Amino acid sequence: MTDAQETAADSPLRTTGGGPPDDVESAPIPLLEPREGIPPVIADEDALAEMIAAFAAGSGPVAVDAERASGYRYGQRAYLVQLRREGAGSALIDPVACPDLSGLGEAISGVEWVLHAATQDLPCLREIGMIPTRLFDTELAGRLAGFPRVGLGAMVESVLGFVLEKGHSAVDWSTRPLPEPWLRYAALDVELLVDLRDALEKELDRQGKLEWARQEFDAIAGAEPAPPRKDPWRRTSGMHKVRRRRQMAVVRELWEARDRVAQRRDISPGKVLGDTAIVEAALSLPPNVHALAELNGFGHRMGRRQLEQWQAAVDRAKALPEAELPQPGQPVTGPPPPRAWADKDPVAAARLSAARAAVSALAEQLNMPQENLITPDTVRRVCWEPPATPDDESVAALLAGYGARPWQVEQVTPVLVAALATPAA
C-alpha cells in the first residue's frame, strides 16, 4: 500500500470520528481567544497604508478571510476582510470605507495566501483588487487528507484542539457599526489559519498527497473568473414544475423585474420576491392584480404598487409572440442526463456504471471524496464519448483535455481504461 493509500486511522491527526475510551475522562477543549485582542476596524486610507506596510514587512503566509452579506444584500461583495501574518498580527478592514484594496493585494501578491474554502471568497476579493498568485486552501486540504468534517470550526477543533466561537456566520455583515461580538468572531477566523495550514501540510506530506494538493491550489489560483451565467432565471427554485413556454416566459419576466428592483435597492432578490411566488404566478397566469394577490407570496402585506409591477411583468410575458417565448431547455453541450443513457446507448450506460464503481472504490482507497478525485462530469464525458482505442495514453489525454490535474490523470486513468473495456450487460 502506498503512502497515499494509508487510511485516516493511521494518521497522527484526528481525521476520523471517535474520541477517548469511555473510561477515560477527557479534558474540555479550550475556547479560542484572540492573542492580541480584537483589532480596530480599518476604515480610512491612512490606517490602511500603515496596515499594508506592516503586512508587507511581515513573514510567512498570510491568512485571509472575507465576510459577505448573502441573503441580505444584492450580489456577493465583501463587507469585511480579515488578515493575519506573523510579525504583523491581525487586521480587520472595512471594504465599504476602503473599496480599493489593490495596494494591499500588490503588497502581499508574491506571498502564499491561506484561505478556507477559497473559491467562495476569491470572487469578492477580486472585486476589491485582491488576487493571490499562490494559495493554500485548508478546506480542500482537509478533503484530500480524508477529514470527514471540513468546516473551519471542525478542522480547528480536530487538528489544533481549540473551539471557535459560533453563531455569527450568517449575520448581516453590511451592518454598520459592526457589533463587537461579530468582530471577535471574524478575527478568530484567521487566528489559527496558518497553524492549521502547517499541520495539514505535514499530514498531506505524510499521506503522499502534498503534491496533489499543490496542483489543486495552483489550479484555483490560476482559474479565470467564471463568466456570467446564461439564462440565470432558469435556476429559479421549483422551475421543474414549469412546463409550458408561456409559463417559462412569466418566470423570466418576473425574475428579471425582481433582479432590477433588488439591484436598485441593494437587497437580496429573495427578500424582494420569493422563488415560490414566481413559480406560483407562472403556473396560474393570473389575469389581474386581484387574482395575483390571492397567490402564495403575494399576500396582504404587499402593497398595491408592488402588485401592479409584478402583474405588469406577467402581462408582458402573456403578450409575447410565440417566436419570442423561451425554449423548454438550454442547449445541451455535454452528455445527456445519466438516467437517459440506458435507452439512448446501453453500452455507454454499462461503461458509466463500471466507471462510477471503479472511481468510488479508488476514492475510498485513497480516503477522499469522489468529486475531489475526479469530477462526475468528467467521468460522464469520457464514458459517453470514449477514445476509439481506450488505452492509457488516449484516456490520459482526454482527462487532461477536460481539465483534470496531472495527479488525477495518473490515479484515474488505469481504472477508467478498465471500465471502458467493460462489455455491455
Side-chain angles (χ1 to χ4, degrees):
M1 181 179 291
T2 67
D3 286 343
Q5 294 168 340
E6 291 179 14
T7 63
D10 299 322
S11 171
L13 302 181
R14 287 180 286 160
T15 59
T16 58
D22 292 339
D23 58 344
V24 177
E25 184 176 349
S26 59
I29 301 176
L31 187 68
L32 183 62
E33 297 286 345
R35 278 173 269 193
E36 299 100 12
I38 304 172
V41 178
I42 294 169
D44 63 73
E45 294 303 321
D46 290 342
L48 179 61
E50 186 177 335
M51 173 262 167
I52 290 174
F55 270 74
S59 61
V62 179
V64 183
D65 191 24
E67 304 295 347
R68 300 177 299 279
S70 304
Y72 297 94
R73 296 290 182 175
Y74 185 86
Q76 294 295 314
R77 68 172 295 184
Y79 283 94
L80 188 70
V81 176
Q82 309 101 279
L83 303 98
R84 184 175 179 84
R85 190 180 191 191
E86 186 68 28
S90 294
L92 302 177
I93 305 174
D94 180 358
V96 177
C98 302
D100 181 6
L101 298 185
S102 55
L104 172 60
E106 291 169 7
I108 59 174
S109 65
V111 179
E112 180 187 83
W113 296 18
V114 184
L115 301 99
H116 192 80
T119 54
Q120 294 182 21
D121 286 339
L122 287 179
C124 71
L125 291 171
R126 182 184 292 272
E127 285 183 3
I128 53 179
M130 295 184 63
I131 306 172
T133 55
R134 297 167 49 211
L135 64 82
F136 189 106
D137 186 333
T138 50
E139 186 204 46
L140 181 53
R143 291 180 183 278
L144 295 175
F147 283 76
R149 297 168 61 227
V150 293
L152 181 59
M155 295 283 285
V156 166
E157 184 173 335
S158 64
V159 177
L160 302 177
F162 286 94
V163 174
L164 285 178
E165 290 187 9
K166 302 176 183 178
H168 302 303
S169 61
V171 298
D172 181 2
W173 288 97
S174 68
T175 301
R176 292 296 183 273
L178 285 165
E180 184 174 316
W182 299 12
L183 295 174
R184 175 189 176 86
Y185 165 91
L188 289 173
D189 271 358
V190 292
E191 184 81 11
L192 293 180
L193 208 49
V194 173
D195 302 71
L196 179 60
R197 170 238 181 270
D198 293 344
L200 290 172
E201 182 179 61
K202 291 178 182 177
E203 176 63 11
L204 287 167
D205 190 33
R206 191 198 67 80
Q207 293 188 23
K209 299 175 181 176
L210 183 55
E211 176 56 28
W212 302 0
R214 287 173 175 157
Q215 292 179 25
E216 292 298 310
F217 302 155
D218 287 345
I220 294 173
E224 293 293 324
R229 191 182 299 276
K230 181 178 173 58
D231 292 346
W233 58 269
R234 292 183 184 272
R235 295 177 62 84
T236 302
S237 179
M239 188 68 190
H240 62 281
K241 302 175 186 176
V242 182
R243 304 290 186 183
R244 291 159 46 197
R245 293 175 63 200
R246 184 70 61 185
Q247 295 172 331
M248 291 179 184
V250 172
V251 173
R252 182 177 63 186
E253 290 290 337
L254 282 171
W255 191 98
E256 292 177 350
R258 177 184 70 175
D259 197 64
R260 289 190 295 270
V261 172
Q263 189 168 10
R264 186 178 71 248
R265 294 172 54 192
D266 189 18
I267 189 172
S268 170
K271 289 187 174 295
V272 175
L273 185 67
D275 282 7
T276 301
I278 290 178
V279 171
E280 282 280 327
L283 296 176
S284 302
L285 296 175
N288 51 51
V289 167
H290 299 292
L292 182 69
E294 296 297 319
L295 301 178
N296 288 335
F298 297 94
H300 63 277
R301 290 183 297 175
M302 189 172 288
R304 174 80 184 191
R305 188 173 177 180
Q306 290 177 293
L307 288 169
E308 287 175 347
Q309 81 176 347
W310 304 132
Q311 184 63 44
V314 173
D315 292 341
R316 286 195 299 272
K318 290 164 70 174
L320 284 174
E322 196 75 18
E324 295 181 21
L325 296 178
Q327 295 301 316
Q330 295 171 295
V332 177
T333 56
R339 62 180 179 272
W341 285 33
D343 292 331
K344 291 178 178 292
D345 190 338
V347 176
R351 286 194 297 261
L352 180 62
S353 178
R356 282 174 161 175
V359 168
S360 176
L362 179 59
E364 185 173 351
Q365 185 182 14
L366 296 176
N367 190 34
M368 69 172 64
Q370 294 180 44
E371 62 270 19
N372 292 114
L373 174 59
I374 193 73
T375 67
D377 180 67
T378 297
V379 174
R380 287 194 295 269
R381 289 174 184 272
V382 171
C383 291
W384 186 250
E385 294 187 53
T389 304
D391 53 19
D392 285 0
E393 184 177 356
S394 61
V395 171
L398 199 56
L399 288 171
Y402 288 133
R405 264 66 74 189
W407 77 269
Q408 294 175 312
V409 173
E410 180 183 0
Q411 294 295 320
V412 174
T413 293
V415 300
L416 285 187
V417 169
L420 293 175
T422 300

